[in-house]
Amino acid sequence: MFDLILRNCNLPDGRRGMDIGIRDGRISAVETALAGEAGEVIDAAGQLVTPPFVDAHFHMDATLSYGLPRVNQSGTLLEGIALWGELKPLLTQEALVERALAYCDWAVAKGLLAIRSHVDVCDPRLLAVEALLYVKDKVRPYLDLQLVAFPQDGVLRSPGALDNLKRALDMGVDVVGGIPHFERTMVDGAESVRILCELAAERGLPVDMHCDESDDPLSRHIESLAFQAQRLGLQGRVTGSHLTSMHSMDNYYVSKLLPLMAEAGVAAVANPLINITLQGRHDTYPKRRGMTRVPELLAAGIPVAFGHDCVMDPWYSLGSGDMLEVAAMGLHVAQMTSQDGMRACFAAVTATPARILGLDDYGLEPGCRADLVLLQAADPIEALRLRATRLLVLRAGRIVARSPAAVAALDLPGRPSRVDFSHRS
Ligand code: FE2
């Protein structure tokens, strides 16, 4: 006896016409022609059912603050950081919580049920940390929120930042963050990586650093991060986020760097929407694209996820929590237009970030939590092409969001018409 059966589902791995049986909030069977009674049966009609979208890199403390107190005029990362510095003293816990909860509503509606969010720890009041810990608890029935202690102004450059960061970890923040390229020198950047990785090793925590988020071809902090991961035995627990300088690095150096990263078990997160808009701002033409070398990282065996990074904040004025938009941008910027490339882009917003976040319950295996999204698309590639409608979003077997299918009818005489965006030749 099942609580719910989803019939005739296409799965991301290419299986078609599968039935998914759900009992007590978990997947209990994935089979063709699944036998057994069910409290409810939903016909997926040959459309894609996937585990939910996962965002490996976000800033929930800044989200939906666009225009406060003013708009970023230059469009650069550095003006964004300055602008966030102007906003910080004006923040209230109520407003932080309200904006974060509003974003979580958007996320759930888009089938985005797990987010790793950095939270700035440079404000000694740790208002944002308190607010997001509260939000994490509140949204737990719907969404897994993982927090990274992020010293936005530099753990060495900003007085008191290291103590604040440790306090944030004491309060329950999950991951150690950093921003070596914002320290005053390359030497300080490398030192910050050492200090933070040692702290993570001591506390048994994962590491996720903003790393080399610039167009500087000589920015080398990912090398330091890989070195420290290896030295401290942190393989599989360390992530380098952004890595945009790799776009501009010398090819010979990159051919040495990628095997070092693979050997150190370091994962990478690119943030396509943000990288394409923030980087290259000092260039005339040709103008660099700024995103890290995604296909080359993947070919070296390094897991690569795509993050949203920002939605309507000092760095980015757009966005809606739609990870298919993020993946589609990554696909275009990295020219990952082959079938395998497009499938890797879909994985970069689903299974790969789930692995990076260490989500144990994630997937379609029996025993996994029944977190599922029914998309108005036949397969992952069609989902990317259409930024497909999330017809149903399930959390632990319960429907938590639904959107109507796109329909239209021209009703021309002799040509009854109903829009169908799919292409089934
Ligand atoms: Fe970021």
Side-chain angles (χ1 to χ4, degrees):
M1 174 75 184
F2 299 99
D3 300 322
L4 171 66
I5 295 178
L6 288 171
R7 291 214 185 272
N8 195 13
C9 310
N10 288 355
L11 306 183
D13 64 7
R15 282 180 285 169
R16 291 177 173 260
M18 304 299 289
D19 296 344
I20 302 174
I22 296 166
R23 188 186 299 134
D24 296 332
R26 298 205 167 254
I27 294 170
S28 60
V30 180
E31 294 171 15
T32 50
L34 180 64
E37 298 286 296
E40 188 183 0
V41 175
I42 294 173
D43 181 9
Q47 299 179 107
L48 179 64
V49 174
T50 176
F53 297 104
V54 179
D55 184 357
H57 188 112
F58 194 60
H59 293 263
M60 203 174 277
D61 50 359
T63 198
L64 307 189
S65 67
Y66 180 67
L68 297 175
R70 61 184 177 83
V71 168
N72 185 334
Q73 292 300 324
S74 66
T76 60
L77 169 71
L78 294 182
E79 186 177 342
I81 294 175
L83 188 45
W84 175 239
E86 291 170 35
L87 175 55
K88 263 195 270 192
L90 311 175
L91 292 174
T92 66
Q93 199 165 132
E94 295 71 30
L96 281 161
V97 167
E98 193 40 54
R99 289 197 285 264
L101 289 176
Y103 184 74
C104 289
D105 277 334
W106 294 12
V108 170
K110 294 286 187 187
L112 168 55
L113 300 188
I115 299 174
R116 175 180 276 183
S117 174
H118 297 253
V119 51
D120 187 0
V121 296
C122 286
D123 173 358
R125 299 171 300 167
L126 294 181
L127 268 190
V129 173
E130 278 179 14
L132 290 195
L133 282 168
Y134 172 82
V135 169
K136 174 181 171 167
D137 201 45
K138 273 279 180 219
V139 300
R140 198 185 307 273
Y142 306 92
L143 184 153
D144 296 305
L145 178 58
Q146 195 176 79
L147 299 177
V148 185
F150 175 50
Q152 171 75 78
D153 301 327
V155 77
L156 297 178
R157 184 170 168 180
S158 169
L162 183 58
D163 284 341
N164 296 338
L165 188 147
K166 288 178 180 169
R167 277 200 291 137
L169 297 177
D170 292 339
M171 289 161 70
V173 170
D174 311 278
V175 181
V176 176
I179 185 164
H181 56 273
F182 197 67
E183 303 292 355
R184 285 199 174 82
T185 63
M186 283 297 290
V187 173
D188 269 8
E191 180 65 359
S192 78
V193 171
R194 182 187 67 78
I195 291 169
L196 292 164
C197 285
E198 287 181 357
L199 180 63
E202 254 167 51
R203 296 195 179 218
L205 295 174
V207 175
D208 189 337
M209 286 198 199
H210 285 64
C211 216
D212 302 323
E213 189 182 0
S214 76
D215 293 316
D216 176 1
L218 298 177
S219 194
R220 295 284 191 258
H221 299 299
I222 183 58
E223 180 185 276
S224 301
L225 186 62
F227 172 74
Q228 296 297 346
Q230 178 94 21
R231 181 178 75 85
L232 296 163
L234 297 173
Q235 289 92 337
R237 284 163 46 192
V238 175
T239 303
S241 282
H242 288 294
L243 310 180
T244 52
S245 67
M246 200 188 293
H247 188 94
S248 302
M249 282 173 182
D250 172 70
N251 288 337
Y252 176 80
Y253 174 68
V254 174
S255 76
K256 175 188 160 198
L257 176 63
L258 296 183
L260 285 178
M261 289 175 68
E263 198 181 320
V266 171
V269 176
N271 295 298
L273 294 166
I274 308 310
N275 301 152
I276 193 76
T277 44
L278 291 185
Q279 302 306 313
R281 291 278 179 167
H282 295 263
D283 293 352
T284 53
Y285 288 94
K287 204 184 267 285
R288 282 169 289 182
R289 323 306 301 271
M291 195 170 78
T292 196
R293 303 189 187 198
V294 176
E296 292 77 8
L297 284 158
L298 289 169
I302 297 161
V304 184
F306 290 145
H308 207 319
D309 199 10
C310 301
V311 170
M312 302 192 74
D313 69 9
W315 296 273
Y316 188 58
S317 51
L318 301 166
S320 66
D322 183 351
M323 295 307 292
L324 285 172
E325 184 190 8
V326 171
M329 179 59 80
L331 185 163
H332 284 82
V333 176
Q335 300 180 321
M336 292 172 69
T337 48
S338 69
Q339 294 260 314
D340 284 350
M342 291 192 278
R343 276 191 280 270
C345 289
F346 188 83
V349 293
T350 51
T352 307
R355 219 163 69 229
I356 292 173
L357 267 64
L359 303 177
D360 299 331
D361 278 353
Y362 184 93
L364 285 172
E365 300 302 313
C368 290
R369 192 169 55 205
D371 295 355
L372 298 165
V373 183
L374 169 61
L375 292 157
Q376 192 183 3
D379 56 47
I381 293 172
E382 194 165 278
L384 283 165
R385 177 172 66 83
L386 300 174
R387 322 286 191 273
T389 301
R390 283 70 164 170
L391 299 170
L392 289 178
V393 180
L394 278 75
R395 171 74 163 185
R398 192 168 64 91
I399 294 171
V400 291
R402 70 169 78 230
S403 302
V407 291
L410 296 182
D411 285 336
L412 298 176
R415 185 187 176 278
S417 165
R418 205 180 122 118
V419 72
D420 179 358
F421 293 111
S422 64
H423 174 73
R424 300 173 202 208
S425 52

